[in-house]
Amino acid sequence: MSVITKKNEPVRVCVTGAAGQLAYSLLLNLARGVVFGEDTPVILQLLDINPGMESLNGVRMELEDSALPLLAGVVCTSDPEVAFTGAQAAIFLGAMPRRPGMERSDLLKANAKIFREQGEAMNRVASPDIKCVVVGNPANTNALILSKYAPRVPKENITALTRLDANRARNQIALRAGVSVDRTLDVLIWGNHSATQYPDVSHATIVCAETGARRPVSEVITDTEWLHGEFIETVQQRGAAILAARKLSSAMSAAKAVADHMRDWWMGSEREGELVSMAVPSDGSYGIAEGLIFSFPVRCPGGGKYEIVQGLEISDFSRGKLQKTEAELISERDEALACVAADSA
Ligand code: NAD
Ligand code: LMR
């Protein structure tokens, strides 16, 4: 009997910022079958800038030394055209970090330039059906610029990560309710991956371990003041709290969230019909300005598809929160577009 299992064709996965700390927690999972399937080999096409090449070469050696049966190849490069060639999935971790004294507009400008160049390269050489998730901050607006410069890629294929925020929110609810995190369902994030995001439990439920029955979170956690106050602020500020504690931004939990996001999109959610959060181009749902990369509740049936969930009731409280995060995204969009326009002039 053969011990070698039959495998699918390899998937080409581009990861930018691949010499960074988030990538270090992520790459093994990509090559282990948890994201693209246990029968699907991957070719990792790793991009970083020139100063990162030596370190990236070390990452390549470690990947190879992990003896991963699903790792069909590793390409290390500082040339975006090489990194995106034939890529069917892309994870954008590489971005300009905010430095002390840097204005928000400088940050948007530096990142708009990076995502414009990468969008143009991706547009030329990637698979036209490539699925993209942008993680490098400001993630939503970077995704919007990427999409603008990659017109060959369908708009709905360019998304940004808010799954980390959703996982954080689930954890807070699980802790407060005294249940394990897998018993919290449909905890949502709306809007921007920033401190204006809206973690929303109005449609969330807690599953009874014995019967499987679902109870609304608001029936289990009756302290509305906490749900409307401390809960939301804790999730909004969690990234900053980790940064303050580690002196580095979240990496392990962020890598887990990237894997969750891409796995659900590629293969379907673990629980059928589950609502998950993805920042995707707005189609005007819930009155959000079209084209913004806005975190919505989505369902992922598998096969590289997702759909924005329609018809959820939005209370006045929720509407106010949605409008605040939408306004921030509109202002980021306008600033970033002005930067790229000035650059082209
Ligand atoms: P890091 O600084 O350790 O790594 C970033 C890497 O990107 C570096 O190796 C750098 O050389 C590379 N890079 C910079 N410019 C590049 C370019 N133009 N092309 C290719 N590579 C480039 O940072 P990290 O901790 O790995 O985080 C990566 C990004 O993810 C940051 O922007 C961080 O703020 C963001 N982040 C987002 C979330 C989220 O939930 N959306 C969560 C955590 C971190
Ligand atoms: C996070 O949410 O942990 C990160 O986006 C924080 C950051 O600024 O990198």
Side-chain angles (χ1 to χ4, degrees), residues 137 164-165 168 193 239 243 249-250:
N137 284 317
L164 175 57
D165 309 293
R168 288 168 171 166
H193 171 67
L243 192 57
S249 62
S250 62

Side-chain angles (χ1 to χ4, degrees), residues 198-200 227-229 232 314-322:
Y198 172 39
D200 174 17
L227 283 174
H228 281 183
I232 293 178
I314 305 293
S315 66
D316 289 346
F317 177 81
S318 295
R319 179 57 63 195
K321 300 280 183 201
L322 260 63

Side-chain angles (χ1 to χ4, degrees), residues 166-200:
N167 288 347
R168 288 168 171 166
R170 286 182 77 181
N171 175 52
Q172 291 302 318
I173 294 297
L175 287 174
R176 187 78 176 191
V179 301
S180 60
V181 77
D182 59 323
R183 289 176 52 199
T184 64
L185 285 180
D186 303 344
V187 178
L188 304 176
I189 301 294
W190 300 83
N192 202 2
H193 171 67
S194 76
T196 68
Q197 65 175 270
Y198 172 39
D200 174 17

Side-chain angles (χ1 to χ4, degrees), residues 120-257:
E120 287 170 345
M122 178 168 83
N123 199 52
R124 284 192 290 272
V125 297
S127 158
D129 193 34
I130 185 170
K131 310 274 186 289
C132 304
V133 53
V134 176
V135 183
N137 284 317
N140 301 51
T141 299
N142 288 341
L144 187 131
I145 299 296
L146 185 75
S147 181
K148 176 175 166 65
Y149 288 99
R152 205 166 61 95
V153 176
K155 295 227 170 295
E156 64 272 18
N157 286 21
I158 298 186
T159 69
L161 187 77
T162 50
R163 185 63 170 264
L164 175 57
D165 309 293
N167 288 347
R168 288 168 171 166
R170 286 182 77 181
N171 175 52
Q172 291 302 318
I173 294 297
L175 287 174
R176 187 78 176 191
V179 301
S180 60
V181 77
D182 59 323
R183 289 176 52 199
T184 64
L185 285 180
D186 303 344
V187 178
L188 304 176
I189 301 294
W190 300 83
N192 202 2
H193 171 67
S194 76
T196 68
Q197 65 175 270
Y198 172 39
D200 174 17
V201 293
S202 17
H203 310 282
T205 52
I206 292 183
V207 183
C208 171
E210 285 78 42
T211 63
R214 294 184 183 190
R215 288 178 72 197
V217 162
S218 56
E219 262 181 46
V220 180
I221 303 173
T222 52
D223 184 349
T224 311
E225 205 178 309
W226 181 83
L227 283 174
H228 281 183
E230 196 183 326
F231 160 68
I232 293 178
E233 282 148 32
T234 301
V235 178
Q236 289 174 333
Q237 296 300 331
R238 190 69 159 186
I242 290 166
L243 192 57
R246 265 175 35 92
K247 319 289 179 263
L248 286 170
S249 62
S250 62
M252 180 172 53
S253 55
K256 160 69 166 51

Side-chain angles (χ1 to χ4, degrees), residues 6-12 36 39-43 72 88 266:
K6 192 168 179 318
K7 299 193 181 91
N8 298 325
E9 284 297 301
V11 175
R12 291 185 175 272
F36 299 101
D39 300 326
T40 305
V42 294
I43 298 172
Q88 294 146 285
W266 201 268

